[in-house]
Amino acid sequence: MNPKTDEPVSREIKQNITEELRDGRRTAIHPLLTVAGLGPGHPDYILPKVLKLCQEADVLVSGERHLESLRQVFGENWRPEDHILLGSGRPLAESFEDIRAALGKGCRTVILVSGDTGYYSMLGYIRRRLPEEPMTVVPGISSLQYFFAALGMSWEDAHMMSLHGREQDLAGALEDGRPVGLLTDGEHGTAWIARQMIGKYPDRRIYTGENLSYPEEKICSHLPAEALEYQEEGMAVVIIAGKSST
């Protein structure tokens, strides 16, 4: 790493930086740590605020795919001032030791996560690993938010859940007839969802979105009986239409 200074910043100084003075003489300054959502994938859907944060960061923390998206905006030769890699086989514990060291030296550090920061992102994990660190959280566009918009559907009454390594009550979510938005994984994709629906909800339409926002985006519509053998070709999310939308 190449931090601005080798001197650690004390907890008291961090509090003074991030807390608004009670007498109102000075407004709060942003914390050193920011967690920002990079959107569904394509750089067109990265918020301008997030792009500005990436350019101003002393240390950028991200996966390789996130860097590829940023280079499509800033140019193929763009490099952050300093970078900590997340993923690609590197243990998370090592990455977070580097993050902690950067923050201790007063570096403005931005951690990028896919989609939106508040929906099944790394935000909870980051808070558990860095519980003492004040942070700013900047939202992004989630893949499900993008997909509902692509289908011209509202989602204020939808059930939202992730099947990625989690036990979820899909049957219960289907009972009241509201739309259901689903993040999928390799075992729980469109075909698995169709098998859960075939007996009781044969007329509820399933929409599968693959590689959303990218040029190779693919959106398919099927009834459960038509989707029993469906195999996704890339990153996918699923929306089950509500009863009134079928």
Side-chain angles (χ1 to χ4, degrees):
M1 296 195 317
N2 181 30
K4 294 283 190 183
T5 175
D6 292 329
E7 294 297 323
V9 178
S10 70
R11 175 65 177 167
E12 290 75 15
I13 292 176
K14 288 181 183 177
Q15 288 177 333
N16 288 338
I17 289 173
T18 59
E19 292 178 2
E20 184 173 3
L21 297 182
R22 291 185 178 181
D23 62 9
R25 289 181 300 173
R26 193 177 67 188
T27 57
I29 301 174
H30 288 299
L32 293 173
L33 176 61
T34 299
V35 181
L38 207 63
H42 194 281
D44 283 355
Y45 294 92
I46 303 174
L47 297 182
K49 171 70 174 179
V50 175
L51 293 174
K52 185 172 184 288
L53 286 167
C54 291
Q55 288 182 304
E56 295 176 348
D58 299 321
V59 178
L60 187 66
V61 184
S62 76
E64 289 290 352
R65 189 168 64 87
H66 299 143
L67 284 182
E68 291 173 8
S69 293
L70 291 174
R71 288 181 184 126
Q72 290 184 55
V73 179
F74 299 139
E76 62 181 16
N77 296 321
W78 179 83
R79 297 288 185 277
E81 183 166 335
D82 194 7
H83 183 249
I84 296 173
L85 178 66
L86 282 180
S88 299
R90 188 183 190 207
L92 276 175
E94 290 184 11
S95 298
F96 274 83
E97 284 304 311
D98 287 346
I99 293 168
R100 192 182 298 276
L103 292 167
K105 294 171 183 176
C107 297
R108 294 171 300 177
T109 303
V110 175
I111 303 177
L112 295 178
V113 300
S114 298
D116 177 53
T117 47
Y119 189 69
Y120 293 105
S121 76
M122 284 188 68
L123 180 59
Y125 180 84
I126 294 167
R127 287 196 178 279
R128 291 192 296 273
R129 291 302 300 261
L130 303 169
E132 75 286 358
E133 286 294 336
M135 66 180 69
T136 299
V137 179
V138 180
I141 299 172
S142 73
S143 56
L144 276 172
Q145 183 181 4
Y146 174 97
F147 196 20
F148 272 103
L151 295 175
M153 296 170 59
S154 61
W155 51 284
E156 66 267 10
D157 64 340
H159 294 289
M160 308 284 273
M161 60 182 64
S162 173
L163 301 177
H164 187 71
R166 293 175 172 86
E167 292 289 334
Q168 298 280 12
D169 184 13
L170 177 58
L174 289 166
E175 285 181 357
D176 64 6
R178 290 155 56 187
V180 182
L182 298 154
L183 301 180
T184 67
D185 64 15
E187 295 183 12
H188 304 92
T190 302
W192 182 90
I193 293 166
R195 289 195 294 273
Q196 313 311 304
M197 297 175 60
I198 189 67
K200 196 172 182 180
Y201 305 103
D203 298 323
R204 294 278 294 274
R205 189 156 290 277
I206 301 170
Y207 298 95
T208 303
E210 302 171 59
N211 297 309
L212 292 175
S213 80
Y214 290 103
E216 61 271 26
E217 173 180 284
K218 178 182 177 183
I219 296 176
C220 293
S221 169
H222 13 231
L223 293 173
E226 300 166 341
L228 292 172
E229 302 297 328
Y230 189 84
Q231 182 63 50
E232 290 84 355
E233 298 175 357
M235 298 175 292
V237 296
V238 167
I239 290 174
I240 303 170
K243 285 183 179 179
S244 61
S245 301
T246 56

